[in-house]
Amino acid sequence: MRRQLIAGNWKMNGFRAEGTALAREIVDHVGLGKPAEVLICPPATLLLPIADIVADRPVLLGAQDCHRAKGGAFTGDISAPMLKDAGCSHVIVGHSERRALHGETNADVRAKATAALANGLSVILCVGETEAERDAGHARAIVATQLEASVPPAATPATLTIAYEPIWAIGTGWTPSCDDIDAIHRHIREVMGSLMAGGTDGRILYGGSVKALNAAELLAIPDVDGALVGGASLSYQDFAAIIDAARG
Ligand code: PGA
């Protein structure tokens, strides 16, 4: 059994006082001993203070994006080595909000993931279909294309985690049925097996409206190896309940 990973994506939310307080609460909760691994991905402004809070504690720190280059004239961007230097072990790439709002392509996502891996960061690579693509019966094909075009050659099951996030489920309160999630996760696992040695052994998270109330059901799906949690990761009670719903 793969150990489940519960990852909180805070998106563009959190100021210093409440963000560091939330990180402290999560660290204390996880410190009580939990079967799952826990990762928090605050906005870039909070990485350094939260790096101090999670240091030597069983909570991992990740960023929400990185640039493909090591450094240079890229105003407003943050490179993978900078994230590593700030204390991150992980970075999310290819989130649908970045694909949609920043025009990121599969090739961009691959370049970012490559930069992250080259700098010692583990990658959470997001894929997922729109509602229209799902209604047209294209979800599996879309996800396979995203994986084939964005998983970097250097990735291994240990350094790359896939997050399946149907776009229509993000922030909407809707989720696919457990059977649908199970089927697409098995499909993703098959595609990953064709893309890298041992690819079928990698972790696949589900993301999209994971809440305290549905976490146990979603995390019990055999091929779900954890959750990427947006809105509910901003509440200590909700995120703690999701952590507690995970299996080891
Ligand atoms: P949500 O977001 O949990 O608020 O639906 C998930 C995500 O965007 O990663």
Side-chain angles (χ1 to χ4, degrees), residues 11-136:
K11 308 191 180 185
M12 197 171 73
N13 294 293
F15 293 97
R16 195 157 23 167
E18 80 223 25
T20 53
L22 176 58
R24 274 195 196 91
E25 285 181 308
I26 294 165
V27 161
D28 288 346
H29 185 74
V30 176
L32 299 174
K34 302 291 166 191
E37 273 192 296
V38 175
L39 167 69
I40 50 179
C41 302
T45 48
L46 294 184
L47 288 173
L48 283 168
I50 294 180
D52 287 340
I53 293 167
V54 302
D56 302 322
R57 306 294 301 272
V59 171
L60 302 163
L61 181 66
Q64 300 171 11
D65 177 47
C66 71
H67 195 272
R68 65 170 76 193
K70 277 193 177 140
F74 301 102
T75 301
D77 283 311
I78 302 177
S79 72
M82 288 171 176
L83 297 176
K84 185 79 183 165
D85 183 54
C88 292
S89 57
H90 286 70
V91 61
I92 298 170
V93 298
H95 190 281
S96 63
E97 285 152 16
R98 297 219 48 99
R99 291 178 189 258
L101 305 172
H102 295 263
E104 288 186 9
T105 63
N106 287 324
D108 295 327
V109 175
R110 173 177 272 161
K112 287 171 181 234
T114 300
L117 294 171
N119 288 283
L121 294 168
S122 293
V123 169
I124 313 275
L125 193 156
C126 304
V127 296
E129 80 286 356
T130 64
E131 189 167 18
E133 288 163 345
R134 174 178 187 256
D135 290 347

Side-chain angles (χ1 to χ4, degrees), residues 9 11 95 97 165 169-172 207-211 228-232:
N9 171 14
K11 308 191 180 185
H95 190 281
E97 285 152 16
E165 298 205 305
I170 294 177
T172 59
S209 296
V210 178
K211 307 285 178 204
L228 181 54
V229 185

